[in-house]
Amino acid sequence: MPGSNKWWIFIVALCVNAGFLTILIIAVEYASSRFVTVPGSNLVPSFRLNHTWKPSSTALHTEWVSRNPEYPEPYTHIYNTQGWLENYDVKRIRPPDTFRIFYLGDSFTEGTAPMDQSVPSRVEQALNDLAQNSSLNFEVINTGTTSYSPTIFYILVHYVLTDYEPDLIVVNVDMTDDFDDWKYQETLLKDADGNPRAAPPRDIYAAAYIDTAAGPVASELVVKLELFLIQNSYTYNLIRTKFVTEPTAAQLETPATDLYPRWAWNYKEWDERTERNVENTLDILDRLAQFTNRNDIKLMITAVPHYEQFAGYTDGTGEPAFSARPHYEIERVARENDVPYLNSFEALRPAITGTAQAKYYYRGDMHFNPVGYGLWAEAHLKFLLDPIHDLLPAEIYED
């Protein structure tokens, strides 16, 4: 009996300590959640589109505050029932006297800024200001979703957006899209003509590699554990924001593994693998242009200019670390399909060349800051309003 009492005491003590530890973890996690978000926590899997923003949800963004004193305020993104960055649900039937524009892209299109400072929002406001004395209304819908690329753009347009009567689709290709298209090939399903029709999500814990901010890495146990903590622990993410600095794109010139590097088509020399993957991305853009042409949907294509394409160092000096070749390769595909192409690299080069990285981009990150989005939105608006491209209703040019 005395021995059994000791076991009961041990079990009770163990349960009490486990309870206190659980409460402590919950309390620390709750406190940490006030300062950071969990990456990907607002994404849900999609059989056709691989992933979407969680419908009818919000996301608080605090990730820029600690190292960007110019932008100290967090901001909230709102996603409608369609999973798009809008605070209203888009009706399938286009309202009368409405010109409907869909913006497609990744996080650059979503906008790493308050919702009203993204490029789609700025363009919508500017166009409606110009049309205020007419009956015309512009509806610019932001479908930007992290890691989307031409593979997903094609599927989104073909199987979703055509039901919403689009007048114009604007595609923003990112400098990581050849990598994302390569990644989606692992599960990609195609129709009889070779067009993408679904990109089911892959099991990242069972896959041979894991996609990280620094590029793909071999899927080892330690990496899987870190991924689990990144996806599920606010505390771990808070520690990372304070003590972990991700390498910049320019520092990834030599990939750490033999997997396809995230920035490959920005390198100044392309190997056979890069040529093959770039050809795949350009082929999908070509298929998208052909689809919109067949369905009488106007299309505009552009690409995101990255700071490393303008400079070698963050103070604006040095030979550019990255090549601008992707912009011109995309331009060629657009030209072959008679699609208006905004060369954003050339449009922004006069302003960005020679300036410090933090003027138009967040410190230590590839994304634009609000000033950069304003600059890029001006380039979009100028291009849209040029009658030579014939992208908008005739009356907007007459005004």
Side-chain angles (χ1 to χ4, degrees):
M1 290 295 292
S4 61
N5 287 337
K6 291 181 180 179
W7 275 109
W8 275 110
I9 293 173
F10 173 76
I11 293 173
V12 170
L14 185 64
C15 291
V16 170
N17 284 307
F20 278 125
L21 181 60
T22 301
I23 293 172
L24 178 62
I25 291 174
I26 293 173
V28 172
E29 281 289 297
Y30 176 78
S32 298
S33 71
R34 313 305 295 174
F35 300 96
V36 293
T37 56
V38 174
S41 60
N42 220 47
L43 293 172
V44 293
S46 165
F47 172 79
R48 192 175 289 282
L49 297 171
N50 190 264
H51 61 279
T52 67
W53 295 117
K54 185 185 299 182
S56 303
S57 65
T58 62
L60 176 65
H61 291 272
T62 62
E63 58 266 38
W64 316 112
V65 174
S66 61
R67 59 186 176 188
N68 289 271
E70 307 94 330
Y71 309 101
E73 298 298 326
Y75 56 87
T76 299
H77 281 181
I78 301 171
Y79 307 98
N80 63 12
T81 59
Q82 288 120 337
W84 300 331
L85 193 71
E86 300 293 344
N87 55 17
Y88 70 98
D89 291 337
V90 179
K91 297 179 179 179
R92 289 185 180 272
I93 299 176
R94 184 179 59 242
D97 298 319
T98 295
F99 190 85
R100 179 172 280 177
I101 304 172
F102 281 96
Y103 261 76
L104 278 62
D106 60 5
S107 53
F108 278 90
T109 300
E110 180 195 10
T112 49
M115 290 175 62
D116 63 352
Q117 296 181 33
S118 70
V119 171
S121 292
R122 291 173 187 261
V123 168
E124 180 181 66
Q125 184 61 57
L127 291 178
N128 281 317
D129 286 346
L130 291 171
Q132 61 182 336
N133 295 324
S134 70
S135 61
L136 187 62
N137 177 65
F138 286 93
E139 184 182 31
V140 184
I141 301 158
N142 189 346
T143 70
T145 306
T146 183
S147 296
Y148 271 18
S149 65
T151 297
I152 309 300
F153 300 160
Y154 184 94
I155 297 170
L156 179 62
V157 172
H158 189 156
Y159 294 98
V160 180
L161 298 188
T162 50
D163 289 340
Y164 288 85
E165 301 184 341
D167 292 297
L168 170 64
I169 289 174
V170 179
V171 167
N172 291 327
V173 181
D174 186 33
M175 293 296 100
T176 60
D177 279 1
D178 66 313
F179 168 81
D180 285 323
D181 285 332
W182 166 78
K183 179 176 63 178
Y184 292 131
Q185 287 184 75
E186 187 173 337
T187 60
L188 184 62
L189 303 176
K190 299 181 179 182
D191 63 20
D193 296 320
N195 300 308
R197 68 176 181 86
R202 64 193 183 100
D203 183 349
I204 55 177
Y205 290 100
Y209 69 92
I210 291 175
D211 184 15
T212 75
V217 297
S219 183
E220 300 174 349
L221 180 60
V222 173
V223 177
K224 292 179 181 179
L225 176 60
E226 183 178 19
L227 175 63
F228 177 83
L229 292 173
I230 289 174
Q231 291 185 326
N232 295 279
S233 173
Y234 291 102
T235 304
Y236 186 75
N237 280 282
L238 180 61
I239 293 172
R240 282 175 55 84
T241 61
K242 298 297 183 182
F243 301 107
V244 177
T245 301
E246 298 289 355
T248 65
Q251 292 172 327
L252 295 173
E253 192 74 29
T254 303
T257 72
D258 60 356
L259 296 166
Y260 189 58
R262 182 187 296 278
W263 304 93
W265 71 340
N266 297 278
Y267 295 167
K268 296 175 182 179
E269 299 293 335
W270 290 2
D271 58 19
E272 291 184 7
R273 181 175 56 174
T274 303
E275 294 274 3
R276 186 167 58 251
N277 286 321
V278 171
E279 182 180 356
N280 173 61
T281 289
L282 298 179
D283 175 67
I284 299 170
L285 284 174
D286 181 74
R287 291 170 183 270
L288 176 58
Q290 293 179 37
F291 178 83
T292 54
N293 285 337
R294 288 195 304 270
N295 288 272
D296 295 321
I297 302 170
K298 292 184 177 182
L299 177 66
M300 167 185 160
I301 298 178
T302 188
V304 180
H306 282 243
Y307 185 75
E308 288 85 355
Q309 293 172 324
F310 299 105
Y313 303 101
T314 57
D315 64 357
T317 63
E319 180 182 351
F322 278 171
S323 167
R325 181 179 174 184
H327 295 277
Y328 302 103
E329 294 290 343
I330 297 167
E331 183 175 26
R332 175 179 56 79
V333 173
R335 185 172 58 248
E336 290 172 352
N337 287 279
D338 198 26
V339 169
Y341 175 75
L342 166 61
N343 190 322
S344 291
F345 169 74
E346 293 290 354
L348 272 59
R349 179 153 65 167
I352 296 180
T353 299
T355 66
Q357 187 254 4
K359 182 172 182 178
Y360 294 109
Y361 298 80
Y362 284 116
R363 298 175 186 273
D365 191 87
M366 65 180 180
H367 290 93
F368 284 124
N369 60 33
V371 177
Y373 283 116
L375 182 69
W376 198 28
E378 289 177 9
H380 277 243
L381 190 63
K382 181 179 179 180
F383 190 86
L384 287 164
L385 291 173
D386 189 336
I388 196 173
H389 304 308
D390 190 29
L391 290 170
L392 301 177
E395 51 262 48
I396 199 72
Y397 300 120
E398 296 169 0
D399 294 341

